[in-house]
């Protein structure tokens, strides 16, 4: 009726219907029997889907439950509909509906476990910062908005980023939940020229050049992207 799945982590059914036979005289209608048989076939397919999904996990907590469910599927498959009444067939259909809910819940839990094993995706984002302010930048920070520390001054040993100079940052690392960063740039006196949030949500795949700009009329800075 079944074979062992990959890694022996559940029973995969090869034959969907064994003794769910046709209607006898005075028994339930052919349509009712066909409906029960179809539900059973769908349930077997769902069972196999759960087993195959589970086989890829390192976790082994579902093994006994899957074996128990396989025994239940086997038991249902051995029943002969020729001796059943319509009410008994309804009871079998209700039983299988409950099993379907169990399989759906197991499949959802297995998917969550898979997501946990795979871990959250880390994006490596190439970033360049272009100083188009006309001001010498002596301190430049780009850090995750949720961080309490600014990190290292990106100007570094160069001492300053000249008025129309570009600083290439090889990469920034972030997860999907860490796409919002903050850029702060200041001149030698400590006056802040730029203080702006940078959202990398639509820039994580290809990277971006952040262009810092400054207006001497309004004495305000802003950034553009290219």
């Amino acid at each position: 009726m079944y074979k062992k799945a990959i890694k022996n982590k559940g029973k995969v059914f090869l034959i969907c219907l064994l003794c769910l036979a046709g209607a006898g005289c005075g028994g339930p209608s052919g349509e009712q029997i066909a409906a029960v048989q179809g539900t059973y076939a769908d349930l077997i397919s769902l069972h196999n889907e759960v087993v195959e999904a589970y086989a890829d996990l390192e976790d082994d907590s579902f093994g006994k439950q899957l074996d128990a469910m396989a025994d239940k599927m086997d038991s249902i498959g051995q029943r002969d509909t020729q001796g059943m009444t319509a009410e008994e067939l309804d009871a079998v259909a209700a039983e299988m509906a409950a099993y379907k809910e169990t399989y759906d819940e197991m499949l959802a839990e297995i998917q969550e476990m898979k997501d946990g094993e795979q871990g959250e995706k880390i994006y490596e984002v190439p970033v360049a910062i272009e100083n188009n302010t006309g001001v010498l930048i002596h301190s430049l920070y780009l850090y995750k908005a949720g961080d309490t520390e600014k990190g290292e001054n990106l100007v570094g040993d160069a001492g300053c980023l000249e008025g129309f100079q570009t600083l290439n940052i090889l990469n920034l690392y972030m997860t999907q939940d860490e796409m919002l960063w903050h850029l702060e740039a200041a001149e030698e006196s400590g006056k802040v020229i730029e203080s702006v949030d940078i959202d990398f949500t639509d820039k994580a795949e290809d990277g971006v050049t952040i262009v810092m700009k400054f207006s001497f009329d309004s004495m305000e800075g802003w950034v553009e992207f290219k």
Side-chain angles (χ1 to χ4, degrees), residues 47-48 68 88 177 185 223 225:
H47 171 91
N48 291 345
E88 288 171 334
D177 296 330
V223 297
F225 305 100

Side-chain angles (χ1 to χ4, degrees), residues 1-4 11-15 47 70-71 74:
M1 181 71 177
Y2 50 74
K3 68 175 181 178
K4 287 288 187 178
K11 299 172 182 178
V12 176
F13 285 82
L14 298 177
I15 302 173
H47 171 91
D71 289 340
D74 198 11

Side-chain angles (χ1 to χ4, degrees), residues 1-2 13 19-20 40 68-80 84 95 99:
M1 181 71 177
Y2 50 74
F13 285 82
C19 295
L20 284 178
Y40 181 68
M69 293 298 291
D71 289 340
K72 292 175 181 178
M73 294 301 99
D74 198 11
S75 174
I76 292 176
Q78 300 294 332
R79 299 176 191 178
D80 189 345
M84 288 185 182
E95 182 182 358
Y99 292 157

Side-chain angles (χ1 to χ4, degrees), residues 97-216:
Y99 292 157
K100 181 182 183 304
E101 290 184 6
T102 299
Y103 281 128
D104 287 339
E105 292 171 359
M106 292 173 67
L107 198 58
E109 289 184 47
I110 288 170
Q111 186 58 55
E112 288 182 5
M113 294 165 73
K114 278 188 175 182
D115 293 341
E117 286 186 358
Q118 292 170 355
E120 193 167 11
K121 180 178 179 180
I122 304 296
Y123 293 87
E124 183 177 342
V125 186
V127 176
I129 301 177
E130 180 181 316
N131 183 11
N132 197 10
T133 64
V135 179
L136 294 179
I137 300 298
H138 284 261
S139 64
L140 179 62
Y141 299 94
L142 182 60
Y143 54 96
K144 296 172 185 176
D147 289 351
T148 56
E149 300 291 335
K150 296 179 181 179
E152 182 181 354
N153 182 0
L154 298 178
V155 171
D157 296 334
C160 69
L161 187 64
E162 297 180 1
F164 295 96
Q165 185 179 0
T166 298
L167 174 67
N168 291 307
I169 303 174
L170 293 181
N171 47 53
L172 299 176
Y173 295 92
M174 62 191 76
T175 66
Q176 189 65 46
D177 296 330
E178 299 171 331
M179 293 291 178
L180 186 63
W181 289 55
H182 188 79
L183 181 143
E184 181 181 302
E187 60 182 359
E188 187 174 15
S189 67
K191 175 180 172 58
V192 175
I193 302 299
E194 306 285 354
S195 181
V196 61
D197 287 338
I198 309 292
D199 188 351
F200 287 100
T201 300
D202 59 350
K203 306 172 181 65
E205 296 295 339
D206 300 322
V208 66
T209 296
I210 302 170
V211 183
M212 299 188 297
K213 296 199 171 184
F214 185 79
S215 170
F216 288 96

